[in-house]
Amino acid sequence: MLAVLRRPRWIAYLLLAVLFGVATANLGLWQWYRHEEKVERRDLVEANYDAAPVPVDVLLPDPDGDFPGAAQWRRVEAHGTYRAGEQHLVRNRPHRGVFGYEVLVPLDLGDGTAVAVDRGWVRNAATAATLPDVPEPPAGEVTVSGWLRPAEPDLGRDLPAGQLASMDLDRLAGETGLTLLPGYVVLGDEQPAPPTRPELLEPPDTGLGSHFAYALQWWLTVPVGLVLVLVMARQTARDEAEEAGTLPRSEPRSRRVRIWDEEDA
């Protein structure tokens, strides 16, 4: 078998088998890293989501600062006045399998800064050219509690005034002239409660998916190519030895006689 494997064609087969093993090992690692990312996200959400709320300016003290990664889905509280005239609708947001808008309204904190509040989801209107009816936010002083989220990147789309393609806080600040904190609040509750409001958003998905199983599957296939080449090389060496007469030919297997064959005889 070693003599067979030293031939150029079989060396090429071995190299292909090694490349196949490297590729499947790396695919397994990629799935494993995806699994680890989801575990980390799940642990962060579970630690923050039901924690006691803290003032939003404790976690986001500097409007020019960066959003702290550990603050994602942290429950926060803020007091202020909604700037209803600066309301923006964020397009193409899914909710229970339906696309619509998320309603983003700045909350003036009274100290020269504001925090964007995602008040929930509304269904698309009958046509793309028509905006949906959106329940008004409470007037006057309001206490808001919800979960902190980082801004989303600018998608580079030109939209009509009052609409955003993503939770782009830089663009919202530019269009409203407000000094916004570097994160927005997904609304859970507001007091005083209005008679109607947009639909509450779903809690974050903490499922891990199938990445761990996929990683195991890829890793189990790592040696398959090499095993196939070795089996084929062994059989080739055996066939050549039988033809050269250095190895007795294998006896053909006797055909098993079935009951109905005996009856037909």
Side-chain angles (χ1 to χ4, degrees), residues 21-40:
V22 171
T24 51
N26 284 327
L27 287 170
L29 283 175
W30 176 69
Q31 290 288 354
W32 175 257
Y33 293 145
R34 293 289 306 278
H35 171 72
E36 288 289 288
E37 289 173 359
K38 289 208 168 186
V39 168
E40 183 178 351

Side-chain angles (χ1 to χ4, degrees), residues 28-263:
L29 283 175
W30 176 69
Q31 290 288 354
W32 175 257
Y33 293 145
R34 293 289 306 278
H35 171 72
E36 288 289 288
E37 289 173 359
K38 289 208 168 186
V39 168
E40 183 178 351
R41 180 180 182 275
R42 179 200 62 188
D43 293 344
L44 181 65
V45 171
E46 290 180 350
N48 287 348
Y49 197 79
D50 293 323
V54 297
V56 67
D57 54 2
V58 171
L59 296 178
L60 303 177
D62 183 5
D64 297 321
D66 295 327
F67 185 90
Q72 290 200 48
W73 293 112
R74 186 70 167 86
R75 193 173 180 90
V76 294
E77 194 172 70
H79 306 276
T81 305
Y82 277 122
R83 299 285 292 266
E86 307 294 352
Q87 173 179 285
H88 279 62
L89 299 181
V90 186
R91 297 165 60 103
N92 296 323
R93 308 297 283 198
H95 179 65
R96 298 177 182 173
V98 179
F99 281 85
Y101 298 88
E102 287 181 34
V103 183
L104 200 61
V105 187
L107 182 72
D108 191 334
L109 301 178
D111 60 356
T113 65
V115 62
V117 178
D118 184 347
R119 297 193 65 240
W121 180 89
V122 292
R123 186 182 294 270
N124 285 332
T127 66
T130 305
L131 291 178
D133 294 327
V134 179
E136 290 286 332
E141 290 285 330
V142 63
T143 298
V144 168
S145 67
W147 297 274
L148 204 56
R149 300 286 291 134
E152 296 174 358
D154 182 2
L155 299 183
R157 299 174 186 168
D158 292 327
L159 297 176
Q163 297 185 45
L164 298 171
S166 66
M167 293 293 179
D168 181 4
L169 299 184
D170 288 338
R171 177 165 292 196
L172 180 64
E175 293 187 3
T176 61
L178 297 172
T179 301
L180 295 174
L181 299 183
Y184 70 97
V185 178
V186 176
L187 183 62
D189 183 56
E190 54 193 359
Q191 295 296 331
T196 60
R197 54 158 293 173
E199 290 188 45
L200 286 172
L201 299 181
E202 295 288 324
D205 180 14
T206 56
L208 300 182
S210 302
H211 298 293
F212 179 72
Y214 291 153
L216 292 180
Q217 290 174 10
W218 281 119
W219 287 333
L220 288 173
T221 62
V222 168
V224 168
L226 187 59
V227 169
L228 287 175
V229 170
L230 294 177
V231 169
M232 291 167 58
R234 181 177 181 276
Q235 186 61 46
T236 299
R238 184 179 183 87
D239 292 344
E240 291 177 352
E242 290 179 354
E243 291 178 1
T246 58
L247 184 70
R249 290 187 178 274
S250 302
E251 293 293 333
R253 293 182 179 179
S254 58
R255 182 172 176 268
R256 187 172 63 181
V257 179
R258 296 167 297 186
I259 296 175
W260 49 87
D261 293 332
E262 294 178 344
E263 294 175 349

